[in-house]
């Protein structure tokens, strides 16, 4: 279950969304080309701009709107290395299911592999796995969104600031004015990188690099929603 917070024209509406409704909301957000991003907690943030005609003079008014889904059981802190590996095993297994071993519940991955009782109990307690009506055990939506956010942790580098032209690979002199910065050039470029290794972008200034990083996180979230939900 998710806690749902919507910021709209008349204020804020709070509610709850089950997984099926959360999936519907995320698919709809992608279809409408809204910005969407998975959160470390295993939720998602959707942002869009609403346009409406002003009733006084007919001008078009733009207003920022958002929808935030926060899982009742946050996945983030539970997604440590060992748990991430177990979840990958479950996700890749052909037909994982619950079964019993010495009276305790385990997840059977196939004839040879199983997830022991304590680990199974931990996955269930953190809301990371669930059982479908056909008996198949699968990762919950918070688990999958949390794993996605974990796989795409971005950062930007600090611009180098005032540099000697030679250090920037340039032969010519920069500001040839009297004072401390004589001959120096200002390097504003900031790199945006992601733990997935797929992002190698530069921004003219750190704000632009942060935008590039956010665009990347949005792209991978949209791709996940289209492929998996
Ligand atoms: Zn990435």
């Amino acid at each position: 279950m998710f806690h749902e917070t919507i910021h709209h024209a008349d204020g804020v509406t709070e509610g709850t969304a089950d997984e099926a409704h959360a999936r519907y909301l995320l698919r709809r957000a992608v279809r409408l080309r809204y910005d969407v991003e998975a959160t470390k907690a295993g939720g998602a943030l959707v942002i869009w701009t609403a346009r409406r005609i002003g009733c006084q003079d007919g001008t078009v008014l733009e207003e920022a709107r958002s929808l935030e889904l926060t899982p009742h059981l946050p996945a983030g802190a539970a997604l440590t290395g060992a748990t991430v590996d177990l979840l990958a095993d479950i996700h890749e297994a052909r037909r994982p299911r619950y079964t019993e071993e010495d009276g305790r519940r385990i997840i059977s991955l196939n004839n040879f592999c199983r997830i022991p009782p304590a680990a199974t109990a931990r996955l269930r307690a953190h809301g990371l796995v669930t059982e479908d009506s056909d008996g198949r055990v699968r990762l919950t939506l918070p688990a999958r969104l949390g794993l996605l956010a974990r796989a795409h942790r971005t950062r930007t580098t600090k611009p180098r600031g005032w540099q000697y032209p030679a250090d920037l690979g340039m032969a010519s002199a920069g500001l040839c004015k009297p004072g401390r910065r004589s001959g120096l050039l200002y390097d504003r470029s900031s790199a945006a990188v992601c733990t997935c290794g797929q992002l190698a972008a530069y921004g003219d200034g750190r704000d632009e690099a942060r935008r590039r990083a956010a665009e990347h996180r949005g792209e991978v979230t949209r791709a996940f929603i289209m492929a998996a939900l």
Side-chain angles (χ1 to χ4, degrees):
M1 290 293 275
F2 292 87
H3 188 77
E4 181 184 351
T5 310
I6 306 169
H7 288 260
H8 50 77
D10 302 319
V12 180
T13 303
E14 313 249 358
T16 54
D18 62 12
E19 188 165 319
H21 188 59
R23 284 168 181 259
Y24 161 76
L25 291 172
L26 293 178
R27 283 197 308 268
R28 184 170 172 274
V30 169
R31 210 168 49 239
L32 294 172
R33 300 179 184 279
Y34 293 167
D35 288 340
V36 55
E37 184 178 330
T39 64
K40 290 188 183 80
L45 179 63
V46 181
I47 297 173
W48 69 99
T49 303
R51 290 180 182 82
R52 62 184 178 86
I53 308 294
C55 47
Q56 301 287 322
D57 53 5
T59 54
V60 177
L61 303 171
E62 292 196 338
E63 291 166 352
R65 304 278 166 82
S66 69
L67 160 75
E68 184 162 18
L69 295 168
T70 312
H72 286 180
L73 284 173
L79 296 177
T80 58
T83 303
V84 169
D85 292 344
L86 289 178
L87 292 173
D89 289 344
I90 296 168
H91 189 59
E92 283 158 20
R94 216 169 65 80
R95 195 177 162 76
R97 59 190 171 80
Y98 287 132
T99 181
E100 285 203 352
E101 187 179 273
D102 301 330
R104 299 178 71 192
R105 193 194 298 251
I106 61 166
I107 298 170
S108 164
L109 299 177
N110 56 44
N111 290 342
F112 310 103
C113 296
R114 91 234 206 286
I115 294 181
T120 298
R122 202 170 56 244
L123 296 177
R124 283 164 50 84
H126 286 295
L128 299 174
V129 291
T130 188
E131 184 183 27
D132 275 340
S133 54
D134 63 357
R136 186 193 169 90
V137 173
R138 64 166 174 83
L139 273 53
T140 59
L141 184 56
R144 298 203 62 188
L145 290 169
L147 287 172
L148 183 76
R150 191 180 186 278
H152 296 278
R153 282 166 294 173
T154 57
R155 65 180 182 86
T156 58
T157 60
K158 194 170 170 235
R160 288 193 294 171
W162 294 103
Q163 299 284 317
Y164 287 103
D167 292 341
L168 296 170
M170 297 166 79
S172 66
L175 288 173
C176 282
K177 288 178 186 166
R180 284 174 56 232
R181 288 170 181 169
S182 176
L184 295 177
L185 289 172
Y186 196 81
D187 181 8
R188 292 167 43 79
S189 67
S190 167
V193 290
C194 181
T195 45
C196 71
Q198 301 293 308
L199 174 65
Y202 281 90
D204 179 22
R206 203 166 197 179
D207 285 347
E208 193 185 325
R210 288 191 178 116
R211 263 198 305 281
R212 302 290 297 270
E215 276 169 18
H216 169 70
R217 296 192 306 269
E219 277 166 22
V220 294
T221 305
R222 274 194 298 279
F224 163 76
I225 292 167
M226 286 192 290
L229 301 188

